């Protein structure tokens, strides 16, 4: 099941005791649908970086999602959890559709893979950077003059809120069925994510927008209060508060006004699908999920495109591999502290898009349409 493979001219080290600097271990979890197709291209990019810059990426593949349920009986096995735990970084693809009667805390629910990885590995900070490429401004459904200059980072809380709050169930009462989900946050959970946002803002334009629904929700009132307290420790960072409905509106009205947005799990999920359209397609948006654990190389974490398994286009070479490839770039930057390499991958993506190549999701009149593999190959060839 966990096969370590030899990739290209990259030397594979099976014996991890002999690990040297420049050897990075990656758990690769392609998953279902378009997951394997886009992950394959991200792996090609990593192999190219390895051979051009002289690193060793030690890749171990494992199953997640429907593929894992069918062969191992669970969306993610304990052995795969262990493999991930022991790697320097995790590259995740996507997982397939869920049976309607089970929740993500069931082992046979495909989302259980992500659910466990995020929680058990304490990856509580989900970074979703949105910086529309100049060449794609016209491919977006939003006017280019509104998009021009957009560069924002959503810091989504990933370990709390409605996703993990208990009780969460459908139950039968004398009046019929009822259902409950629980939105719970501890002050400590809010504090650590706001701190992450403030730290990240320091390396950017020093503005944090904390998004909540404090006019209605108790959890949001605690969120706001805690955000104010934490941000006071960062006098160089400006904190503003925005209600989530208002944020949804302003994201497409004045996206350039945002720098770092910090918000709870569900709000972050919804707002980032919306915000992905600023960069023309969900197929462009990478993400990094981080905690506090460090490896000898950087921050331990999980890297995945924000899109799903898209079963309607799976196996047809229609998927855009850029979100997965940019996720690999984030891995190079955060997990391995390889800034130059990360920049080279991002520049390669931009170069290929500038040259007019597009996958189906970015279809534009007069542009050169290519499939998943071809897009991956073009980007690989552009890495200098
Ligand atoms: C995401 C996804 C997941 C989430 C789903 C697939 C469980 O939408 O990463 O944004 O809601 O977190
Ligand atoms: Mg989502």
């Amino acid at each position: 099941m966990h096969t370590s493979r030899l990739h290209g001219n990259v030397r594979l080290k099976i014996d991890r005791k002999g690990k040297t600097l420049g050897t990075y271990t990656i758990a690769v979890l392609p998953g279902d649908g378009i997951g394997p197709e886009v992950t394959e291209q991200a792996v090609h990019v990593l192999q190219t970086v390895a051979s051009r810059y002289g690193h060793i990426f030690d890749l171990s593949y494992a199953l997640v999602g429907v593929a894992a349920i069918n062969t191992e009986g669970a969306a993610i096995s304990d052995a795969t959890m262990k493999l991930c735990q022991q790697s320097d970084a995790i590259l995740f693809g996507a997982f397939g559709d869920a049976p309607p009667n089970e929740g993500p805390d069931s082992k046979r629910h495909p989302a259980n893979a992500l659910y466990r990885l995020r929680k058990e590995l304490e990856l509580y900070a989900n970074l979703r950077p949105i910086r529309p490429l100049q060449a794609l401004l016209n491919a977006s459904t939003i006017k280019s003059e509104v998009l021009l200059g957009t560069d924002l980072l959503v810091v989504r809380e990933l370990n709390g809120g409605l996703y993990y709050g208990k009780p969460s169930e459908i139950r039968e009462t004398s009046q019929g069925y009822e259902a409950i989900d629980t939105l719970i946050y501890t002050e400590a959970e809010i504090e650590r994510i706001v701190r992450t946002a403030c730290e990240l803002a320091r390396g950017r334009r020093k503005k944090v927008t904390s998004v909540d629904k404090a006019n209605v929700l108790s959890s949001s009132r605690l969120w706001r209060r805690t955000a104010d307290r934490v941000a006071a420790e960062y006098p160089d960072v400006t904190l503003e508060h925005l209600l989530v409905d208002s944020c949804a509106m302003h994201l497409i009205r004045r996206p350039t006004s945002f720098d770092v947005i910090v918000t709870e799990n569900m709000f972050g999920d919804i707002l980032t699908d919306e915000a992905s359209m600023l960069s023309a397609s969900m197929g462009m948006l990478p993400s990094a999920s981080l905690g506090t654990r460090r490896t000898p190389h950087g921050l331990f974490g999980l890297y995945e495109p924000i899109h799903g398994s898209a079963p309607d286009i799976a196996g047809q070479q229609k998927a855009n591999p850029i979100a997965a490839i940019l996720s690999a770039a984030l891995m190079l930057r955060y997990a391995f502290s390889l800034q130059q390499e990360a920049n080279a991958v991002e520049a390669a993506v931009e170069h290929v898009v500038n040259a007019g190549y597009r996958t189906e999701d970015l279809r534009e009149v007069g542009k050169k349409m290519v499939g998943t593999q071809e897009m991956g190959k073009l980007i690989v060839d552009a890495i200098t």
Side-chain angles (χ1 to χ4, degrees), residues 100-166:
N101 288 325
E102 285 177 280
D105 46 3
S106 156
K107 281 192 183 304
R108 297 187 63 82
H109 188 297
N112 186 252
L114 260 190
Y115 200 74
R116 285 190 68 187
L117 286 166
R118 289 171 174 178
K119 188 76 170 179
E120 291 176 31
L121 303 179
E122 272 189 275
L123 303 170
Y124 62 84
N126 184 214
L127 277 43
R128 298 186 164 187
I130 295 147
R131 196 158 36 89
L133 296 181
Q134 183 89 27
L136 289 180
L137 292 186
N138 287 323
S140 172
T141 52
I142 314 219
K143 289 198 186 97
S144 56
E145 62 261 35
V146 174
L147 297 172
L148 190 65
T150 297
D151 178 1
L152 63 91
L153 171 67
V154 179
V155 179
R156 170 189 175 194
E157 202 292 326
L158 208 55
N159 276 184
L162 289 164
Y163 281 67
Y164 295 95
K166 292 280 170 306

Side-chain angles (χ1 to χ4, degrees), residues 142 146 248-255:
I142 314 219
V146 174
M249 186 260 290
H250 287 302
L251 265 176
I252 52 173
R253 176 167 173 255
R254 48 169 178 86

